[in-house]
Amino acid sequence: MRIFLTGATGFIGSAIVPELIQAGHQVVGVTRSDAGAEALAAAGAEVHRATLEDPASLRSGAAEADAVIHTAFDHDFSRFAENCEKDKRVIAALGQALAGSDRPLVITSGVGMGSPGHGQLAVEDVFNASHPNPRVASELAGNALLEAGINVSVVRLPQVHNPIKQGLISPLIEIARQKGVSAYVGEGRNRYSAGHLFDAARLYRLAVEKRQPGARYHAVGEEGVEVREIAEALGRGLKLPVVSIAPEKAAEHFGWMGMFAPMDLPASSALTQARLGWHPIGPTLIADLDAMRY
């Protein structure tokens, strides 16, 4: 297939490119920069210049593709809600380009959207449309396209990691450096689900090849890693003391991460594994944190 990939030079997208090419697909990767264009060309992908702020520039590329994978997202968390609305507009534009066909569109969301409530295990067959996380906008946009006859499926991400980046844990590292301590909230028993980068890339490929409208998949290798254990790994790597922060002090200590630090976000990938034959094989989150060069 000729696959149009947004976020092709990002953390996850740059792993999807070789995964698709090695499987025999042609990749058209989106970038906004000369450096990104050079990286894509070197990886064997065709280059398409576009930005999230100009959905029409994305729509034109999607219109010429056999399938679309959308991983691009503006990770400026100081404008998180606004960026989730921007993602909603981009998903709508990509869907418009595929109207009148069964060409698949795979979009990206977070595993929290599959949780019925705080601390409850997120599963693929649940979509919590009233979830307080603004990222719910992405799946609402996908649902609207699905109702319009577009072949949309969703890959939901946990904390995707390798020894260089780890989702929300990467900013926790910077906060620990700034504060001089590696911290968790309360007892630190809340959990983050996690999945290795290469396992996530393989899941996107399988999802776009499956072409199953309405499917939701979880890129989860570990259902829940306690945040205290994560903080202890960061403490070892940074050679900093590990401390507990009272819940009422979380916003003061963590800044914008204060809303995420106490969240309990366990998630399952049992249905994903059964439906796609996908089985995570990458290193664990703690193994990657211990392997980092701090």
Side-chain angles (χ1 to χ4, degrees):
M1 288 188 290
R2 178 181 171 88
I3 300 176
F4 185 70
L5 174 63
T6 75
T9 60
F11 178 53
I12 294 173
S14 60
I16 296 174
V17 170
E19 176 70 30
L20 293 174
I21 291 175
Q22 288 165 16
H25 300 294
Q26 179 185 359
V27 177
V28 181
V30 175
T31 184
R32 65 193 306 162
S33 71
D34 292 340
E38 291 175 6
L40 286 171
E46 185 179 326
V47 175
H48 181 89
R49 299 278 190 149
T51 68
L52 294 176
E53 292 72 28
D54 181 12
S57 66
L58 294 167
R59 187 166 56 240
S60 65
E64 301 299 321
D66 299 316
V68 177
I69 298 176
H70 174 49
T71 67
F73 189 79
D74 186 337
H75 287 93
D76 178 359
F77 284 99
S78 68
R79 304 169 57 143
F80 186 50
E82 180 181 332
N83 289 336
C84 289
E85 288 301 311
K86 178 163 61 177
D87 193 53
K88 186 176 181 178
R89 293 191 295 272
V90 168
I91 290 170
L94 293 171
Q96 290 167 8
L98 304 175
S101 75
D102 67 348
R103 291 175 293 163
L105 166 62
V106 179
I107 65 173
T108 302
S109 180
V111 290
M113 303 309 108
S115 174
H118 177 73
Q120 297 185 54
L121 188 69
V123 294
E124 295 91 332
D125 283 354
V126 168
F127 171 47
N128 184 353
S130 61
H131 199 285
N133 189 327
R135 193 67 195 264
V136 73
S138 300
E139 289 200 37
L140 289 173
N143 282 356
L145 292 178
L146 196 64
E147 291 171 3
I150 308 299
N151 184 345
V152 181
S153 58
V154 183
V155 170
R156 290 172 171 166
L157 299 178
Q159 306 311 308
V160 178
H161 59 86
N162 68 2
I164 299 170
K165 292 182 70 175
Q166 302 85 27
L168 289 173
I169 297 159
S170 292
L172 284 180
I173 294 170
E174 295 310 311
I175 292 169
R177 285 194 174 107
Q178 294 166 11
K179 300 288 186 175
V181 295
S182 178
Y184 56 87
V185 177
E187 296 182 357
R189 301 299 302 274
N190 57 306
R191 299 153 291 174
Y192 288 168
S193 57
H196 193 271
L197 173 63
F198 293 139
D199 288 328
R202 186 160 39 91
L203 179 55
Y204 274 99
R205 175 179 63 79
L206 292 171
V208 78
E209 291 173 346
K210 183 70 171 178
R211 308 169 67 99
Q212 181 61 50
R216 292 183 169 92
Y217 305 112
H218 286 186
V220 172
E222 296 177 276
E223 289 193 354
V225 183
E226 289 192 355
V227 173
R228 178 170 182 164
E229 187 180 358
I230 294 169
E232 289 169 347
L234 301 187
R236 288 193 299 273
L238 294 166
K239 297 180 172 52
L240 292 175
V242 180
V243 302
S244 170
I245 299 294
E248 62 271 19
K249 298 287 188 180
E252 177 185 342
H253 181 86
F254 292 102
W256 64 265
M257 266 293 294
M259 67 178 287
F260 296 105
M263 284 186 175
D264 193 23
L265 300 170
S268 169
S269 63
L271 294 178
T272 298
Q273 295 187 49
R275 290 168 179 169
L276 287 181
W278 171 85
H279 301 291
I281 58 175
T284 65
L285 173 60
I286 298 302
D288 272 348
L289 291 175
D290 284 342
M292 278 190 69
R293 292 184 176 181
Y294 288 86

